[in-house]
Amino acid sequence: MSKQQAETLRYEGRPYAKQDEELVDQGLLFDIGTLLSRRGVLFAGAGAAVAGLAACGTTDPNATESSSAPDSSGDLAEIPEETAGPYPGDGSNGPDVLEESGIVRSDIRSSFGTGSATAEGVPLTLQFTIYDMANGSVPFEGVAVYAWHCTRDGEYSMYGEGLESENFLRGVQIADADGVVSFTTVYPGCYSGRWPHVHFEVYPDEASITDSANVIATSQLAFPEDVCDTVYAEEGYENSVENLAQISLESDNIFSDDGGESQMGTVSGDVANGYTITLAVGVDTSTEAGGGGSAPSGGGGGAPGGGEMPSGEPPANNG
């Protein structure tokens, strides 16, 4: 190597254009060349980084982006519209508990107002998550959900013989920001002619519950057979064992359309600690609600014994 080559001045690998001048005096063309050289290195590095990330992404063929994770209401369909049955207590057939102060409550095991009785049975937390299907199936915050069901003996408060002044196992909750309402209650029994169920109505808001004509959805929740078998082996549910043996989801006059699939609750828990049952409820306000308090002929309303919708004074519930 010659002395001249050894003493060649360079900057970032590029020889000075003017070997006898300082770096700051190399001129405009030298400066432009330096910038272009830097940009080429930068782009090459960025390309390598992208290629590296792409290579990493292919190591797991099952990896997905978080945005592709299924939404909690992803496969949700509109809840089937059902009858409110002969014992709604919403003013559509006799008494109206929704006009009484105190109906908005989470614990529905005891009567309020003039009533004093408390329903007995295996503890149950009843939870609905309401979705607004007319607006992209977002949680339906602010809607009011009225839920009611029979006792472990298969009787309904406000209608059953000796229960006319009681209003237990009935209550209203307002959906939170997640569309959730929750009730503390007891596991209902099974009466003759119907699969174990809970009735519920959805109203636009709390202020609208005093008129059943305002309802935007009326439906029923079904209980899984295996859980019913376990619960009905407990003391107090003796009548339910025989009644359940005589009915199926396929023969029930409400759930027979799809074997209860679209209205079947998801249950967790046990007898000792109580159960929790949950149901996702799609409500589409762009369609017409038609449940109300009427029942189709043949007992579709869920009257104990499978009778038709009563007229006149509410009959006693014989379980």
Side-chain angles (χ1 to χ4, degrees):
M1 180 180 293
S2 67
K3 181 178 180 181
Q4 182 179 3
Q5 288 175 320
E7 294 179 351
T8 298
L9 299 176
R10 297 175 179 274
Y11 178 70
E12 294 186 356
R14 300 179 65 244
Y16 280 17
K18 302 175 182 178
Q19 289 290 317
D20 57 346
E21 300 287 345
E22 295 183 4
L23 177 62
V24 295
D25 296 322
Q26 293 302 306
L28 178 62
L29 291 178
F30 183 84
D31 293 341
I32 292 175
T34 300
L35 290 174
L36 291 175
S37 177
R38 288 176 178 174
R39 184 170 296 178
V41 172
L42 177 62
F43 287 165
V50 171
L53 289 173
C56 291
T58 60
T59 58
D60 182 2
N62 296 319
T64 58
E65 296 182 6
S66 60
S67 60
S68 65
D71 183 79
S72 58
S73 59
D75 298 326
L76 187 68
E78 183 179 9
I79 194 74
E81 190 72 14
E82 307 289 6
T83 174
Y87 311 110
D90 61 2
S92 62
N93 186 51
D96 190 353
V97 73
L98 298 180
E99 291 186 340
E100 297 184 23
S101 175
I103 187 59
V104 179
R105 60 198 186 128
S106 60
D107 190 335
I108 63 175
R109 292 173 294 182
S110 298
S111 292
F112 64 93
T114 58
S116 59
T118 296
E120 301 292 336
V122 172
L124 176 70
T125 297
L126 173 64
Q127 186 176 95
F128 297 101
T129 303
I130 315 298
Y131 293 97
D132 183 0
M133 299 188 70
N135 290 291
S137 294
V138 298
F140 215 153
E141 181 180 6
V143 294
V145 179
Y146 168 44
W148 72 99
H149 63 83
C150 70
T151 66
R152 66 182 179 183
D153 296 316
E155 299 185 348
Y156 285 88
S157 66
M158 305 180 74
Y159 294 88
E161 184 176 358
L163 299 178
E164 295 87 349
S165 63
E166 304 295 343
N167 51 28
F168 51 63
L169 306 185
R170 299 177 185 272
V172 172
Q173 280 286 276
I174 311 303
D176 63 16
D178 296 318
V180 175
V181 297
S182 183
F183 300 90
T184 299
T185 185
V186 296
Y187 205 100
C190 177
Y191 52 76
S192 179
R194 279 304 318 277
W195 188 263
H197 61 282
V198 170
H199 294 271
F200 64 94
E201 294 175 337
V202 182
Y203 290 82
D205 50 39
E206 182 178 347
S208 63
I209 66 174
T210 55
D211 186 348
S212 61
N214 294 327
V215 70
I216 57 177
T218 304
S219 197
Q220 299 181 25
L221 171 151
F223 287 82
E225 183 174 8
D226 59 338
V227 181
C228 290
D229 286 337
T230 300
V231 172
Y232 294 163
E234 296 298 303
E235 182 180 359
Y237 289 93
E238 290 81 5
N239 292 337
S240 295
V241 176
E242 181 178 355
N243 291 332
L244 185 66
Q246 297 174 352
I247 188 74
S248 69
L249 285 163
E250 289 69 27
S251 63
D252 183 78
N253 52 20
I254 295 297
F255 302 128
S256 57
D257 289 348
D258 62 357
E261 181 178 351
S262 57
Q263 293 154 275
M264 181 62 65
T266 300
V267 179
S268 60
D270 53 46
V271 169
N273 299 297
Y275 289 93
T276 295
I277 187 166
T278 62
L279 181 68
V281 178
V283 175
D284 191 348
T285 54
S286 66
T287 62
E288 183 178 357
S294 61
S297 62
E308 295 186 2
M309 180 72 173
S311 59
E313 290 299 314
N317 183 347
N318 295 319

